[in-house]
């Protein structure tokens, strides 16, 4: 698997092979490539002010577990599953829930998703939409909040989401459908963008997101301003 670090492509498999061969300093390439996303994940999942500590601990645990990392697997969803576990442990140990305002601020501070060159009006609308989405996510159960966060806030495809959460792809698809129906009632002005579905996924309303990101840029999934349809079974 390859990922982009700044302006260059990082061959994750090659880097992991170098670390396993006795070149631990090579691991820094993976850290640089994935720190922004890991911070966004920790912040979105509720780590708040502890997001940096959570991410540092997650990278350390991932490094210690590289010997068990499956050859050919994608590093990003594997890392984010560790970030998610560390976030849960941190929040549970502290016995506190992060406020929506704190979570939104931490998410934006972790890695801004809106380029400085963006039109100010469009940027303001994007911030408003993301804040509205985070508000609505507070009304979902943990599993539904997780699947929406990974698919839309972190822009991961269905396969990566399944790996990161440790769920079968069918479970990701069904829980995402239910979560989106709930969001349709909590957030009636938003629904997934229609577009090309994930490879291997089936069609249908709201099954696997669309082909654009939350702010309208090309991506794997997103939400747009439009009345969403509610209804459907709400059980897990």
């Amino acid at each position: 698997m390859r990922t982009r670090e700044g302006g260059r492509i990082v061959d994750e498999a090659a880097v992991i092979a170098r670390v396993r061969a006795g070149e631990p300093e090579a691991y820094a390439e993976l850290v640089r490539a994935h720190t922004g996303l890991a911070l966004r994940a920790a912040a979105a999942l509720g780590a708040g002010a502890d997001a940096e500590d959570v991410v540092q601990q997650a990278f350390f645990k991932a490094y210690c577990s590289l010997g068990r990392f499956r050859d050919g697997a994608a590093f990003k969803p594997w890392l984010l599953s560790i970030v998610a576990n560390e976030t849960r442990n941190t929040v549970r140990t502290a016995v506190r829930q992060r406020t929506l305002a704190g979570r939104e601020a931490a998410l934006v501070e972790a890695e801004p998703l809106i380029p400085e060159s963006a039109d100010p009006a469009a940027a303001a609308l994007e911030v408003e939409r993301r804040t509205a989405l985070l508000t609505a996510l507070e009304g979902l159960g943990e599993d539904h909040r997780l699947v929406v966060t990974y698919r839309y806030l972190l822009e991961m495809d269905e396969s990566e989401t399944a790996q990161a959460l440790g769920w079968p792809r069918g479970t990701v698809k069904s829980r995402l459908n239910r979560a989106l129906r709930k969001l349709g009632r909590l957030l009636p002005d938003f629904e997934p963008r229609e577009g090309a579905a994930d490879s291997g996924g089936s069609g249908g309303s709201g099954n696997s997101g669309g082909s654009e990101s939350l702010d309208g840029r090309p991506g794997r999934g997103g939400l747009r301003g439009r009345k969403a349809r509610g209804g459907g079974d709400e059980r897990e």
Side-chain angles (χ1 to χ4, degrees):
M1 300 294 295
R2 294 173 180 270
T3 190
R4 183 174 296 276
E5 178 198 334
R8 66 190 186 90
I9 300 296
V10 175
D11 187 332
E12 295 176 349
V15 172
I16 292 172
R18 288 164 56 195
V19 175
R20 287 173 169 172
E23 190 180 339
E25 59 273 17
Y27 188 65
E29 295 186 34
L30 293 177
V31 173
R32 287 193 296 268
H34 294 287
T35 291
L37 180 64
L39 285 170
R40 286 212 313 275
L45 295 174
D50 294 325
E52 289 189 6
D53 291 338
V54 164
V55 168
Q56 289 179 6
Q57 185 66 11
F59 273 119
F60 174 74
K61 289 191 174 182
Y63 175 80
C64 293
S65 301
L66 279 182
R68 300 193 300 273
F69 182 73
R70 180 169 57 84
D71 290 337
F75 181 78
K76 179 175 71 174
W78 181 70
L79 171 68
L80 291 185
S81 69
I82 299 175
V83 171
N85 287 334
E86 285 300 304
T87 300
R88 291 192 197 99
N89 292 338
T90 297
V91 173
R92 187 179 301 118
T93 300
V95 193
R96 62 180 182 273
Q97 294 293 329
R98 304 298 181 182
T99 64
L100 172 64
R103 187 176 297 192
E104 169 69 8
L107 185 60
V108 172
E109 182 180 353
E111 183 180 338
L113 297 180
I114 307 171
E116 293 182 0
S117 60
D119 177 75
L125 179 60
E126 164 63 5
V127 171
E128 180 181 349
R129 286 177 173 175
R130 292 181 66 81
T131 301
L133 175 59
L134 286 168
T135 301
L137 286 177
E138 295 296 317
L140 302 183
E142 182 179 7
D143 287 346
H144 290 168
R145 187 166 58 248
L146 281 171
V147 73
V148 173
T149 295
Y150 277 95
R151 285 289 281 114
Y152 296 119
L153 288 178
L154 301 180
E155 298 182 18
M156 297 176 70
D157 64 27
E158 189 176 276
S159 178
E160 291 173 331
T161 300
Q163 184 179 342
L165 294 175
W167 299 346
R169 288 186 63 167
T171 300
V172 169
K173 189 182 298 292
S174 64
R175 287 180 178 172
L176 183 63
N177 283 340
R178 294 181 182 117
L180 292 177
R181 285 199 293 270
K182 289 183 178 180
L183 281 177
R185 289 192 290 275
L186 295 169
L187 195 64
D189 288 338
F190 291 86
E191 70 174 13
R193 285 186 178 274
E194 297 174 359
D198 291 320
S199 59
S202 60
S205 176
N207 273 357
S208 55
S211 59
E212 296 185 21
S213 63
L214 183 63
D215 60 358
R217 295 170 303 184
R220 295 183 177 129
L223 301 177
R224 63 178 172 183
R226 177 178 162 184
K227 291 292 182 182
R229 293 182 296 276
D233 185 8
E234 298 307 322
R235 292 173 296 176
E236 285 292 334

